[in-house]
Amino acid sequence: MRCAVIGLGEAGGVYAAALAAAGHEVLGYDPGDTPTPEGVTRTATLREAVEQAAYVLVLTGAAAAPAVAEQCLPHLAPGACYADFTSASPEVMERLGRMVGERAGFADVAILGPVPLHGHLVPLLASGPGAEALARLVRPLGGPREVSVEVLDGPPGAAMARKLLRSVFMKGLASVVCEAVAAGRAAGDEDWIRGEIAKQLAGDGQAVIDRFLTGTRTHAVRRAMEMRDTGAYLDVLGVPAEMTRAAEQTLRRLSTG
């Protein structure tokens, strides 16, 4: 199967290499000086990569997604699958779906994890008319252990909307952990705070969620005062306290609502 990969950076290079290793004919395009993965034929122009390709996988930065779609559109083979893996907003994905939809099957693809850690085995969410076709291409790349591709029954933008909902938690959690460990290190208690974080992340996740949802609002006044004092302590330690102070503001809002 002929596949075009637009963008050969960190993620694009991984998928291009995996597709080539699986026996697909892979054409790659990237105007930068990124390396060309083994088994991939690099083209001088985007048109050369895209025309006659059954699959076009876009793994550029999100800001470039609309321009890339506009440049690809005149050269797409009728009925091709155009899969956008960028982190463009749900609204942009909807617009790209309308733009590409009359010529190709558009798939909005959300990557649910770090590619440097999981490689091409990272779980995916996909939505839009081309989602099933994209899943058929990517799932076998894991060999006996299929790549997890969840196909949503929704339009372009649905996959990215779910990814952004997940990011509220994942990126927020990562920031809180970074702040807490930095504070623990400054206080000489890094190992202890790491252990406390690990205990909270283990066990019955749904029970923890329910406890957070009910307890946070019920005890918002007391906890807001505690976070005020926590922020003051982090100031003494010389540790930035953005997440701590954001939590204090949230708790104060909940206490009045």
Side-chain angles (χ1 to χ4, degrees), residues 34 72 106 118 155 189:
T34 55
C72 285
F106 182 84
H118 301 292
D189 267 331

Side-chain angles (χ1 to χ4, degrees), residues 59-84:
L59 292 114
T60 64
V68 170
E70 290 177 1
Q71 294 172 43
C72 285
L73 187 56
H75 312 299
L76 290 175
C81 172
Y82 185 96
D84 190 311

Side-chain angles (χ1 to χ4, degrees), residues 222-245:
R222 175 177 60 77
R223 291 181 180 180
M225 295 177 64
E226 181 178 333
M227 294 311 290
R228 180 199 61 191
D229 294 341
T230 302
Y233 178 49
L234 264 60
D235 289 341
V236 172
L237 293 174
V239 174
E242 294 95 344
M243 300 305 294
T244 296
R245 292 202 161 88

Side-chain angles (χ1 to χ4, degrees), residues 14 52 90 117:
V14 165
Q52 299 182 26
L117 178 62

Side-chain angles (χ1 to χ4, degrees), residues 22 52 55 65 69 77 97 130 143 152 154 191:
Q52 299 182 26
Y55 288 88
L152 303 179
D191 288 344

